Amino acid sequence: MYSFPEPPYFLLIAGLLASFTSGAAFNAVLKQSVKSWSKSRSSHDLTGLRGLQLLLPFLGIAAGVCVFLSSGMEIFGFPANLAYAIALPLTILIAWLIWFQLGKILIQLQEGGSKALDLDSFG
């Protein structure tokens, strides 16, 4: 008789919590860095904010999302190897796209100030 493995509910919740806590750290570091840049604009480049201080919480978000996605697929019956084989490339691709877009937004902020990011003016 074949028995199904226990679904990884703990990993699902742990991945979600890791993403949330890393997201809070990412938010705090980004706000602090932009605030310090806005006080002394001529001293350093805004695109340099994407350093290790910001990268570590971002990688924590990505790792939590990867565990969350793969655990969710395992709950629906996917084998663990297949779930991670799908979740890992998907997470890497999405994380790279978000990191790339963050760089573009920081360049826009540096060149045009906060008015360059006014999304209400497009509509």
Side-chain angles (χ1 to χ4, degrees), residues 36-93:
S36 68
W37 171 82
S38 69
K39 289 182 181 178
S40 59
R41 290 185 180 197
S42 62
S43 66
H44 61 294
D45 193 20
L46 188 58
T47 56
L49 293 180
R50 294 190 322 164
L52 190 61
Q53 247 184 346
L54 199 61
L55 183 62
L56 285 178
F58 185 75
L59 291 177
I61 294 170
V65 166
C66 184
V67 170
F68 178 79
L69 284 175
S70 63
S71 299
M73 285 189 282
E74 286 182 57
I75 287 172
F76 286 108
F78 284 79
N81 292 341
L82 180 61
Y84 278 100
I86 294 171
L88 188 62
L90 185 64
T91 304
I92 290 171
L93 175 67

Side-chain angles (χ1 to χ4, degrees), residues 13-28:
I13 294 170
L16 188 62
L17 289 177
S19 294
F20 281 151
T21 55
S22 297
F26 181 81
N27 182 30

Side-chain angles (χ1 to χ4, degrees), residues 26 30 45-50 54 58 95-111 117:
F26 181 81
L30 187 60
D45 193 20
L46 188 58
T47 56
L49 293 180
R50 294 190 322 164
L54 199 61
F58 185 75
W96 179 79
L97 289 171
I98 291 172
W99 191 253
F100 180 72
Q101 187 65 32
L102 176 66
K104 291 174 92 174
I105 288 174
L106 289 176
I107 290 171
Q108 280 182 340
L109 184 64
Q110 182 175 348
E111 291 174 354
L117 300 177

